[in-house]
């Protein structure tokens, strides 16, 4: 029983901490983000498993995490407000040559991040070629090219 | 591919998808049932796992379901003679070896080894009963039969299922 309770607590804690840390955390994995992911998984592993190294415990923990994920996805579909609370909303940070400063600042996104997404996704390398840049709910930046750049 | 072949192929895909969804939904139900059983303690560490035997002055508390390589405890309340100041408890050797006794609280005065049992002697200070806690770490999987005894107080048997 305690391993299931631990898994639920860890799942909800991680859900909350990543939601509160903003959209961009771990969205585009840099070398440091990868290291951070490894450190987080290493630190949480002890809390999940404790001293119980049995196979049954491992299977129960995995089953709990997967079941919670299924349950929350079902609930998110049924209750749009919960979906919005847990996943947030897409946020436009650049539109028709205008930088939306508050969004950029609050989500800690730089012009360089937008240009990197533009190069990666659309092969564009100038801000003028971008009509719209959006930070999606997943934290990834997507780009809508300006008409002349298409 | 002509029209009818294409239609047949997309029907096959739709049929496969429907079956996949059905299997998934049943799998979720099974998963949730297993978790419910886990919370109840069917896989150890929960209300269903706790067991107690009370017989002729003995009280033995143990886990009916325990897990391999994971600590479990065996608490024994043993009736003791008012006259003496020591109590003796023996544990079946096969059980003791399979369960790997890590710690005994309170610490015994002596432990002696017999071919079929380990004999523990404790200082009781003349109390009517003594509570002993054995910390165990099962080393084998499957059904384990515990057998305990004490000179003058008979024996107690119990059974545990050790999950991998």
């Amino acid at each position: 029983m305690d391993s299931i309770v631990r898994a639920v607590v860890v799942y909800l804690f991680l859900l909350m901490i990543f939601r509160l840390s903003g959209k961009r955390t771990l969205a585009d994995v840099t070398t440091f983000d990868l290291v951070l992911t490894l450190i987080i998984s290493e630190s949480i592993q002890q809390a999940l498993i404790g001293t119980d190294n049995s196979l049954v415990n491992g299977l129960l923990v995995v089953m709990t995490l997967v079941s919670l994920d299924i349950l929350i996805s079902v609930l998110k579909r049924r209750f749009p407000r919960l979906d919005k609370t847990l996943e947030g909303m897409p946020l436009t940070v650049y539109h028709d040559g205008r930088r939306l400063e508050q969004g950029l600042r609050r989500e800690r996104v730089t012009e360089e991040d937008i240009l990197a997404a533009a190069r990666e996704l659309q092969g564009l390398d100038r801000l003028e070629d971008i009509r719209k840049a959006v930070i999606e709910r997943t934290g990834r930046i997507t780009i809508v090219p300006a008409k002349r750049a298409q | 591919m002509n029209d009818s072949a294409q239609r047949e192929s997309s029907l096959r895909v739709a049929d496969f998808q429907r079956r996949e969804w059905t299997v998934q939904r049943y799998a979720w139900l099974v998963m949730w049932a297993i978790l419910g059983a886990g919370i109840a303690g069917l896989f150890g560490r929960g209300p269903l796992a706790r067991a107690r035997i009370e017989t002729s002055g003995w009280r033995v508390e143990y886990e009916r379901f325990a897990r391999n390589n994971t600590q479990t405890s065996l608490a024994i309340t043993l009736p003791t003679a008012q006259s003496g100041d020591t109590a003796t408890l023996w544990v079946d050797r096969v059980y003791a070896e399979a369960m790997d006794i890590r710690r005994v609280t309170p610490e015994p005065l002596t432990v002696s080894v017999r071919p079929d049992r380990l004999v523990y002697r404790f200082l009781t200070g003349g109390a009517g009963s003594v509570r002993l806690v054995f910390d165990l770490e099962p080393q084998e999987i499957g059904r384990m039969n515990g057998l305990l005894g004490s000179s003058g107080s008979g024996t107690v048997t119990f059974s545990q299922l050790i999950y991998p």
Side-chain angles (χ1 to χ4, degrees), chain A residues 2 8 10 14 33 53 61 63 79 107 123:
Chain A
D2 54 345
V8 171
V10 165
L14 289 179
D33 291 335
N53 293 316
V61 166
M63 226 179 258
F79 304 106
E107 294 297 338

Side-chain angles (χ1 to χ4, degrees), chain B residues 26-122:
Chain B
Y26 280 115
W28 293 1
L29 289 180
V30 171
M31 219 151 64
W32 285 328
I34 291 174
L35 287 181
I39 289 170
L42 193 68
F43 305 107
R45 296 172 179 253
L48 273 183
R50 286 192 278 274
R52 173 197 282 205
I53 294 174
E54 286 187 76
T55 175
S56 52
W58 286 76
R59 187 162 77 218
V60 181
E61 294 154 82
Y62 62 100
E63 274 197 309
R64 199 178 277 126
F65 307 111
R67 297 173 188 173
N68 189 31
N69 277 322
T70 303
Q71 193 178 304
T72 181
S73 71
L74 173 68
I76 303 157
T77 307
L78 183 70
T80 55
Q82 294 284 355
S83 51
D85 59 356
T86 61
T88 306
L89 171 85
W90 58 260
V91 180
D92 175 51
R93 197 156 166 193
V94 175
Y95 178 79
E97 281 171 7
M99 298 301 275
D100 190 5
I101 298 169
R102 290 297 174 102
R103 196 172 58 167
V104 184
T105 313
E107 269 195 36
L109 282 178
T110 60
V111 184
S112 46
V113 182
R114 306 273 166 79
D116 60 337
R117 61 185 68 166
L118 298 180
V119 184
Y120 293 86
R121 203 159 62 87
F122 299 90

Side-chain angles (χ1 to χ4, degrees), chain A residues 88-121:
Chain A
M89 299 279 281
L91 176 72
T92 303
V93 286
Y94 187 84
H95 196 247
D96 286 334
R98 208 157 52 86
R99 292 155 47 104
L100 303 170
E101 286 300 337
Q102 193 186 27
L104 284 169
R105 198 177 55 247
R106 289 276 166 92
E107 294 297 338
R108 307 177 306 282
V109 170
T110 62
E111 205 170 281
E112 193 43 54
D113 291 328
I114 296 175
L115 281 170
R119 284 194 297 272
E120 198 181 325
L121 303 171

Side-chain angles (χ1 to χ4, degrees), chain A residues 59-75:
Chain A
L59 299 185
L60 281 177
V61 166
V62 170
M63 226 179 258
T64 309
L65 295 174
V66 172
S67 299
L68 267 177
D69 218 42
I70 294 170
L71 181 70
I72 287 191
S73 65
V74 170
L75 291 176

Side-chain angles (χ1 to χ4, degrees), chain A residues 131-145:
Chain A
R131 185 161 78 83
K132 199 172 176 185
V134 180
I135 307 174
E136 299 295 344
R137 289 154 32 122
T138 55
R140 279 184 68 87
I141 300 171
T142 53
I143 301 292
V144 180

Side-chain angles (χ1 to χ4, degrees), chain A residues 43-60:
Chain A
S43 339
I44 224 71
Q45 189 238 353
Q46 271 299 313
L48 270 177
I49 300 293
T51 53
D52 188 341
N53 293 316
S54 63
L55 177 68
V56 164
N57 190 43
L59 299 185
L60 281 177

Side-chain angles (χ1 to χ4, degrees), chain A residues 6-60:
Chain A
R6 269 205 299 257
V8 171
V9 171
V10 165
Y11 182 95
L12 294 178
F13 172 75
L14 289 179
L15 191 73
M16 187 186 73
I17 208 88
F18 281 111
R19 181 74 184 94
L20 291 177
S21 65
K23 291 190 202 313
R24 294 286 295 158
T25 315
L26 303 183
D28 277 325
V29 180
T30 63
T31 312
F32 181 71
D33 291 335
L34 180 68
V35 173
L36 191 65
T37 315
L38 292 175
I39 295 171
I40 290 172
S41 62
E42 193 66 24
S43 339
I44 224 71
Q45 189 238 353
Q46 271 299 313
L48 270 177
I49 300 293
T51 53
D52 188 341
N53 293 316
S54 63
L55 177 68
V56 164
N57 190 43
L59 299 185
L60 281 177

